[in-house]
């Protein structure tokens, strides 16, 4: 048992796919997705062709070798028995409830259509802003190959697309120029021009982090958004909205830009408002009533003060925020308002319905929501099935979730015969937007929709294994089952990530240090050596971060004692390149009982 566990973990750290990714990144001087003009124009033009044809995916992959799956086969991935329809269930009950949101005007017509046109007030402000930009050509910055995008169903604004073809040299960087009056020199004007040039250079650099962009932005005269062009403002909001996971720091950065736009009397686009609501309500792991209230307050400002009418994306964000805070009555009120406004459910809405019934522990509701997703013509992919399995586990149906997992593996081999490794989160984000657009535009073309569905690979990914490993770490403590899952990750060539080490060390901290446990000291030392080896090889996705430090020290304190935990703390602290003193202080506070 011990040898099997160690072998599975070591192989997962050194799988062939991980080696290919690491070597490829080292050979290429560019990241997988940058904001370099040439690469951005090529990527966006290719994505535009996909959206026009809706017959291929933007990511190259092999065609399935097996027959095309029917809609009934996708439904049977989950349904191993047919449930009777419960007309009194909560899933079908929100339409009949007489609840409504408090500050929505009662005179709104229930049969009105979805009109996303801006109000006259917003149009006048936008027109004045454009005229002011046109009157000041000296303060116009380099024109980017992007324009303001249309709203897209996503919790973040979609990728921006080129407004026109730029025939100039893409590598040439134009500077901010200020007209100088002969015989006069103002050092403050020169300093402002230099700060703007520095900001534009960092903004257009695809390798710049959010921290670097925000730091250079803060050096501009307040409000900074008034010092740059409209195109640069759109790019700034877009760069800060594209993030893997929202944090408190990213939320504060984005809302600071929103406040600057209000101070400068520059209107925000609908996608920028939606991102602000998402940051306010989803930046914390545990959402409480305060985050929900903040999100609703921004929504009220969007509707009543800015005069922008909310669309399906806005309500999807509000619904997801209410679910995270366990505010089920509020969630049903949001759905009721969507029905009142005549808004149609998107792909994200259907996935949220599955998540909703998982939180309520309603297994029948999960199956009904999944069938509704398939029958609505939405594309089923790994993201949808991960939500189904996670919801079934929350509902207390682990055997059903494991059966869905086994059927996914059989479905993979039967329909395709090969596995396409998952892309990173940027590609997954773009793919989700494309699938949602395809489902809406091909709703009346079942043949093209079936062809697009056949191109999706229903295969387990890192998120799938994370769901099951997290359950066994927190609930069952079955190390043997975790070993099997790590071995299957190796078979599917899925590279291990730092989050897996966090979960395994957390399992040792919860279940180790007692008699007759399978979480022994020898296995803990083996996992520790595997982590150090992965750090020495600089494997992508594995680095020393806050929660790895916390759970490594806690695991050794529980299984080996305080003396060994202090040794591990000294060793991992030397490898931790922490730049935030507050984060280091928070870790020392969490480990205060061990480090004393």
């Amino acid at each position: 048992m011990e040898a099997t566990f160690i072998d599975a973990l070591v192989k997962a750290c050194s799988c062939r796919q991980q080696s290919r990714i690491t070597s490829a990144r080292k050979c290429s001087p560019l990241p997988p997705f940058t904001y370099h003009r040439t690469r951005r124009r090529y990527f966006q033009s290719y994505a535009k062709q996909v959206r026009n044809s809706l017959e291929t995916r933007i990511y190259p992959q092999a065609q399935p070798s097996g027959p095309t799956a029917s809609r009934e086969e996708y439904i049977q991935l989950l349904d191993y028995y047919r449930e009777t329809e419960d007309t009194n269930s909560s899933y079908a009950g929100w339409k009949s409830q007489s609840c409504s949101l408090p500050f929505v005007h009662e005179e709104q017509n229930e049969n009105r259509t979805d009109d996303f046109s801006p109000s006259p007030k917003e149009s006048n402000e936008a027109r004045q802003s454009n005229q002011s930009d046109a009157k000041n050509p000296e303060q116009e910055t380099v024109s980017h190959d992007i324009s303001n995008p249309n709203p897209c169903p996503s919790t973040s604004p979609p990728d921006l697309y080129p407004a026109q073809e730029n025939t100039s040299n893409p590598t040439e960087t134009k500077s901010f120029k200020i007209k100088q009056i002969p015989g006069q020199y103002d050092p403050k004007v020169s300093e402002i021009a230099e700060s703007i040039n520095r900001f534009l250079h960092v903004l257009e650099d695809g390798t710049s982090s959010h921290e670097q962009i925000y730091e250079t932005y803060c050096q501009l005269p307040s409000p900074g958004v008034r010092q740059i062009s409209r195109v640069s403002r759109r790019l700034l909001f877009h760069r800060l909205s594209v993030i893997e996971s929202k944090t408190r720091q990213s939320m504060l950065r984005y809302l600071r830009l929103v406040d600057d736009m209000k101070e400068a009397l520059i209107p925000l686009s609908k996608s920028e408002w939606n991102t602000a609501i998402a940051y306010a309500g989803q930046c914390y792991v545990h959402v409480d009533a305060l985050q929900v209230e903040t999100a609703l307050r921004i929504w009220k400002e969007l509707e009543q003060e800015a005069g922008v009418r909310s669309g399906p994306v806005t309500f999807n964000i509000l619904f997801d925020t209410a679910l995270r805070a366990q505010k089920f009555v509020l969630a049903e009120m949001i759905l009721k308002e969507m029905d009142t406004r005549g808004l149609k459910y998107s792909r994200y809405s259907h996935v949220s319905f599955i998540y909703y019934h998982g939180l309520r522990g309603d297994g029948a509701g999960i199956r009904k929501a999944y069938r509704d997703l398939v029958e609505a013509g939405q594309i089923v992919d790994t993201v949808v099935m991960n939500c189904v399995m996670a919801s079934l586990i929350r509902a207390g149906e682990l055997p059903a979730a494991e059966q869905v997992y086994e059927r996914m593996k059989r479905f993979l081999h039967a329909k395709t015969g090969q596995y396409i490794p998952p892309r990173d989160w940027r590609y997954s984000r773009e793919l989700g937007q494309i699938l949602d657009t395809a489902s809406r535009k091909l709703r009346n073309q079942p043949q093209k929709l079936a062809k697009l569905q056949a191109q999706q690979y229903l295969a387990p990914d890192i998120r799938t294994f994370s769901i099951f490993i997290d359950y066994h770490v927190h609930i069952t403590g079955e190390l043997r089952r975790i070993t099997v899952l790590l071995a299957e990750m190796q078979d599917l060539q899925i590279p291990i990530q730092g989050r897996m080490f966090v979960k395994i060390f957390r399992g040792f901290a919860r279940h180790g240090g007692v008699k007759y446990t399978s979480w022994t000291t020898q296995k803990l030392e083996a996992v520790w050596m595997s982590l150090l080896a992965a750090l020495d090889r600089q494997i992508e996705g594995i680095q020393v971060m806050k929660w790895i430090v916390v759970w490594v020290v806690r695991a050794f304190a529980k299984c080996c004692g305080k003396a060994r935990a202090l040794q591990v703390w000294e060793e991992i602290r030397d490898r931790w390149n922490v730049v935030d003193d507050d984060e280091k202080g928070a870790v020392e506070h969490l480990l205060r009982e061990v480090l004393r």
Side-chain angles (χ1 to χ4, degrees), residues 76-97:
Q76 290 177 358
L77 278 173
L78 175 60
D79 288 348
Y80 50 88
Y81 62 89
R82 287 285 183 175
E83 302 83 5
T84 57
E85 297 294 337
D86 186 6
T87 57
N88 297 324
S89 63
S90 58
Y91 178 76
W94 59 63
K95 294 186 178 181
S96 60
Q97 294 179 0

Side-chain angles (χ1 to χ4, degrees), residues 243-260:
I243 188 172
E244 183 175 7
S245 58
K246 300 178 180 65
T247 61
R248 181 177 179 272
Q249 288 75 16
S250 62
M251 180 266 294
L252 294 176
R253 287 193 293 263
Y254 195 89
L255 294 185
R256 159 72 188 278
L257 294 181
V258 174
D259 292 338
D260 288 352

Side-chain angles (χ1 to χ4, degrees), residues 386-399:
N386 285 342
C387 182
V388 169
M389 289 182 287
S391 301
L392 289 174
I393 290 176
R394 289 191 185 96
E397 299 189 20
L398 176 63

